[in-house]
Amino acid sequence: REASTPFAYPTGVRVLLVEDNDVNREIAGAILNTLGCQTDFAHDGAQAVDAARSGAYDLILMDCQMPVMDGFAASRQIRLEERQSGRPAVPIVALTANALAGDREHCLAAGMNDYLAKPINRAQLSAALTRNVTLSVGQAKSGEADPGVAHAGPRRSERRAALVFDSRVVESLPMVADGSKPEFADRVLDMFNESAGRLLTDIEQAAGKGDAAILQRAAHTLKSSSATVGALALSDQARQLEALLRA
């Protein structure tokens, strides 16, 4: 069904993907490639601000929770510099592992145009490109983000939360499912194993020190990357830990 989705945007769209998590960045970048996009990467908000000054991008996909400068601060800075320099405003789509009340409004208030909840899939990215690249920012209405699209990922994840690992998540990635890059699944899972090990160590050390800020950030990142590869039980545990810390 996803493969037959009609694209209402031109191929060769240049996208800046701002994501600090290696696993999420690898998967989202590969999906964007299958959609015909030219993708550049930034690892934090400060790098995104620097890259956006070129005015070369048709769309920015902006993670919200990042070190150095988060996505909200980066979006506000990009909008400020666009106004000061007279550059056209590039559409910014928020990427967040949260689906909590007020998060979407927070994204829009920071100057973002749209909102997608992780884990991100091909259909969501294609829909976001169609909504935002074919319209100028002046034509787009900032409140038009489809709540069904924004929250589709977490709802599917919650329905399968009893599974420890759902191999269908990685197997459904376009480059794996169509057989063009069968080794991609192994590479992504190896990256996940390495990053999850670091995050679990961070969680253990932060818990021992009583450092709630680091603990919450590590739980947030683990929640997102676990869901992205289908480690649903681990993602649910991290989600519960983050929710308790936020409360």
Side-chain angles (χ1 to χ4, degrees):
R1 189 182 310 114
E2 289 184 3
S4 63
T5 300
F7 300 155
Y9 54 87
T11 58
V13 167
R14 191 166 181 188
V15 176
L16 177 64
L17 174 60
V18 190
E19 169 65 72
D20 69 313
N21 183 273
D22 293 342
V23 175
N24 292 345
R25 191 168 57 246
E26 182 81 5
I27 290 178
I31 294 174
L32 286 166
N33 184 60
T34 70
L35 293 173
C37 297
Q38 300 176 17
T39 308
D40 293 334
F41 302 94
H43 293 214
D44 57 57
Q47 290 184 4
V49 172
D50 287 341
R53 291 188 181 119
S54 68
Y57 297 103
D58 301 299
L59 183 77
I60 297 175
L61 295 172
M62 182 76 75
D63 186 28
C64 291
Q65 304 295 328
M66 294 180 290
V68 183
M69 176 185 282
D70 66 26
F72 303 112
S75 296
R76 287 192 292 268
Q77 183 64 28
I78 289 170
R79 294 299 185 228
L80 174 62
E81 294 188 10
E82 286 171 341
R83 291 192 297 270
Q84 291 176 338
S85 66
R87 294 197 315 266
V90 60
I92 301 176
V93 177
L95 304 178
T96 176
N98 290 326
L100 304 177
D103 284 338
R104 179 172 174 273
E105 289 72 18
H106 194 184
C107 293
L108 297 176
M112 301 178 186
N113 303 84
D114 206 344
Y115 171 102
L116 296 179
K118 299 177 184 179
I120 303 301
N121 59 41
R122 190 173 190 269
Q124 286 177 289
L125 286 175
S126 176
L129 286 164
T130 299
R131 285 196 302 272
N132 294 284
V133 174
T134 56
L135 297 175
S136 69
V137 176
Q139 294 170 314
K141 297 178 182 178
S142 60
E144 283 185 344
D146 182 355
V149 173
H151 298 292
R155 281 205 295 267
R156 285 194 295 272
S157 176
E158 289 167 6
R159 286 199 297 268
R160 299 196 302 261
L163 293 175
V164 174
F165 177 71
D166 187 349
S167 62
R168 293 172 296 178
V169 174
V170 172
E171 290 168 356
S172 67
L173 293 172
M175 63 293 298
V176 179
D178 65 13
S180 60
K181 293 185 178 180
E183 75 284 356
F184 185 75
D186 290 334
R187 185 165 78 250
V188 166
L189 291 173
D190 286 343
M191 291 174 62
F192 170 73
N193 284 335
E194 182 178 347
S195 66
R198 292 195 301 267
L199 290 167
L200 289 169
T201 298
D202 291 345
I203 288 173
E204 183 178 12
Q205 293 177 348
K209 297 176 182 177
D211 191 329
I214 291 179
L215 188 57
Q216 181 176 333
R217 184 164 61 246
H220 177 90
T221 303
L222 185 61
K223 173 187 68 175
S224 171
S225 59
S226 299
T228 298
V229 299
L232 303 180
L234 179 58
S235 179
D236 189 59
Q237 290 286 316
R239 179 189 61 78
Q240 292 181 51
L241 176 58
E242 184 191 19
L244 287 170
L245 289 161
R246 286 173 67 110

